[in-house]
Amino acid sequence: MNLFDRGLEKESLNEDIRFLELADLNENFDEMELLIEKLRFSKNTEAKQYSEVYSIHRKLAKGELTVNEASKMIGRMDISVPELKVFSELMLLPEYLNLSEYKVMNGIANKIDLDTIENENFFKASYRCRLLIMSANAYLGLGDLKKAQFYAGLTIEHATDNRFLAYGYLIHGNTLLFSDYREAKKSFLKGLEHSEKGKSHYKELRRSLSFLENYYGEKNEYLDYNSLEVGEQQGVAYSFINEEKIAEALQILDRIENEKQNNNLLGFHFFYKGLATKSKDYFFKSVKHFKLSDDNYCVKLPLDELEKLGENKALLELITL
């Protein structure tokens, strides 16, 4: 049925609002933007609020707004819908995740009260899954693996959509990256079973599988040699380092060094440069950028290499405090 064939009676209006959340979850962004525009012209006040909040969310995800700009716009709104009050805070978390600001994420996530939505409905269930995923990611970045696994497990338990299952298994696998190759891979592969090729969760699962294979020196069938994304190119460079193709690895790393990267990506960048050159300076730069991004989990990568190169373990532990 064409989007504009449906009337704006209450039942149809509720259906449009529900489809808005589903379109966002399933990355059907063309449909999402049409629904935002449709609801904007509604005579219903509630519909207009959904249009406005999801419009800010969409612009934030596209990079047309910064997280601070989005927060100010939300702050100027008089939101009366309980679901939207929750979502207006919840929608900021993926942006802080992209910035690897795990402490900020954790602080916001812990303040979100789902029970302000009194009745158990589609939106409360969906927002619960969104919140569980973000909490799991925050605790992973902060290095609290037990809590990260706990929230990943809750995500899987409460999943209302394949996307949530995929992310639950992704985060669970990431908690095992440095400790259990087989179980981490098993979790990532389960996640792939619930993912759709081309979607963001599919790409992230393959990227984690690629890192896993590189980290343990296993045959890597998850590399994307054609991608222009920094994270994918770093994975190829890591594979070349493992194959002792140092010149090829450094060529990639030098090429992407001046591309836009957050502190977390720079932490990986200098870690790979350190592996390629055996330079302590690069490993210390890696530690610096991982710490700037609040990543207490992946900072172990350069720290382990510095210890192998003879740095005092007690001193290294002091650096990470």
Side-chain angles (χ1 to χ4, degrees), residues 201-246:
H201 48 279
Y202 176 86
K203 292 178 183 178
E204 289 186 44
L205 281 158
R206 285 187 61 91
R207 190 174 297 175
S208 285
L209 278 162
S210 174
F211 181 87
L212 181 74
E213 304 293 28
N214 280 337
Y215 183 73
Y216 287 95
E218 300 291 336
K219 183 179 178 181
N220 193 341
E221 59 183 276
Y222 302 101
L223 296 167
D224 187 344
Y225 292 93
N226 299 315
S227 176
L228 297 177
E229 293 183 26
V230 169
E232 298 290 356
Q233 293 184 69
Q234 287 180 339
V236 174
Y238 194 2
S239 179
F240 281 150
I241 292 167
N242 286 342
E243 295 170 9
E244 298 186 0
K245 296 178 180 178
I246 304 302

Side-chain angles (χ1 to χ4, degrees), residues 249-270:
L250 287 173
Q251 185 178 23
I252 292 172
L253 294 170
D254 289 342
R255 185 176 68 242
I256 63 177
E257 186 151 332
N258 294 322
E259 292 189 24
K260 187 177 180 181
Q261 301 184 50
N262 61 32
N263 278 309
N264 199 252
L265 283 171
L266 285 170
F268 283 105
H269 177 81
F270 289 114

Side-chain angles (χ1 to χ4, degrees), residues 64-81:
E64 295 175 4
L65 293 173
T66 67
V67 69
N68 288 333
E69 289 169 339
S71 295
K72 288 178 182 177
M73 291 175 73
I74 290 294
R76 290 193 292 266
M77 290 182 64
D78 183 19
I79 300 174
S80 60
V81 182

Side-chain angles (χ1 to χ4, degrees), residues 61-248:
K62 289 165 69 176
E64 295 175 4
L65 293 173
T66 67
V67 69
N68 288 333
E69 289 169 339
S71 295
K72 288 178 182 177
M73 291 175 73
I74 290 294
R76 290 193 292 266
M77 290 182 64
D78 183 19
I79 300 174
S80 60
V81 182
E83 287 84 353
L84 285 177
K85 287 181 180 179
V86 169
F87 186 68
S88 65
E89 298 178 280
L90 192 55
M91 72 181 194
L92 302 176
L93 295 178
E95 303 314 307
Y96 284 116
L97 176 60
N98 290 337
L99 296 169
S100 301
E101 294 188 15
Y102 302 113
K103 289 179 183 176
V104 177
M105 278 181 72
N106 195 45
I108 294 173
N110 285 334
K111 290 178 182 178
I112 293 175
D113 184 6
L114 286 168
D115 288 333
T116 57
I117 305 172
E118 291 184 5
N119 299 319
E120 186 65 37
N121 58 27
F122 164 78
F123 285 96
K124 187 172 184 178
S126 186
Y127 294 164
R128 179 184 293 114
C129 290
R130 285 182 184 257
L131 181 57
L132 289 170
I133 288 170
M134 290 297 107
S135 295
N137 270 309
Y139 282 117
L140 177 65
L142 293 172
D144 191 333
L145 300 188
K146 286 186 177 180
K147 284 188 177 178
Q149 288 178 358
F150 173 74
Y151 283 104
L154 285 178
T155 301
I156 294 167
E157 180 183 338
H158 290 282
T160 58
D161 186 276
N162 275 335
R163 173 184 184 271
F164 294 132
L165 281 172
Y167 274 117
Y169 285 118
L170 169 67
I171 300 164
H172 181 262
N174 281 334
T175 66
L176 301 170
L177 267 178
F178 306 132
S179 60
D180 195 327
Y181 169 80
R182 289 188 178 182
E183 287 303 311
K185 188 168 184 176
K186 182 179 175 181
S187 194
F188 292 145
L189 292 176
K190 278 186 179 179
L192 276 183
E193 291 175 10
H194 298 283
S195 66
E196 183 180 343
K197 192 171 184 179
K199 302 293 186 181
S200 57
H201 48 279
Y202 176 86
K203 292 178 183 178
E204 289 186 44
L205 281 158
R206 285 187 61 91
R207 190 174 297 175
S208 285
L209 278 162
S210 174
F211 181 87
L212 181 74
E213 304 293 28
N214 280 337
Y215 183 73
Y216 287 95
E218 300 291 336
K219 183 179 178 181
N220 193 341
E221 59 183 276
Y222 302 101
L223 296 167
D224 187 344
Y225 292 93
N226 299 315
S227 176
L228 297 177
E229 293 183 26
V230 169
E232 298 290 356
Q233 293 184 69
Q234 287 180 339
V236 174
Y238 194 2
S239 179
F240 281 150
I241 292 167
N242 286 342
E243 295 170 9
E244 298 186 0
K245 296 178 180 178
I246 304 302
E248 290 94 329

Side-chain angles (χ1 to χ4, degrees), residues 7-47:
L8 287 180
E9 295 84 2
K10 185 171 180 59
E11 184 177 343
S12 179
L13 194 61
N14 290 338
E15 189 178 60
D16 281 340
I17 294 170
R18 182 172 177 274
F19 283 163
L20 182 62
E21 168 70 357
L22 285 171
D24 185 30
L25 290 177
N26 293 307
E27 301 178 29
N28 297 326
F29 298 127
D30 289 342
E31 180 178 350
M32 181 184 177
E33 290 175 5
L34 286 172
L35 284 164
I36 287 171
E37 192 68 3
K38 180 180 180 182
L39 294 169
R40 185 168 75 91
F41 285 98
S42 170
K43 294 179 182 178
N44 182 285
T45 303
E46 182 177 311

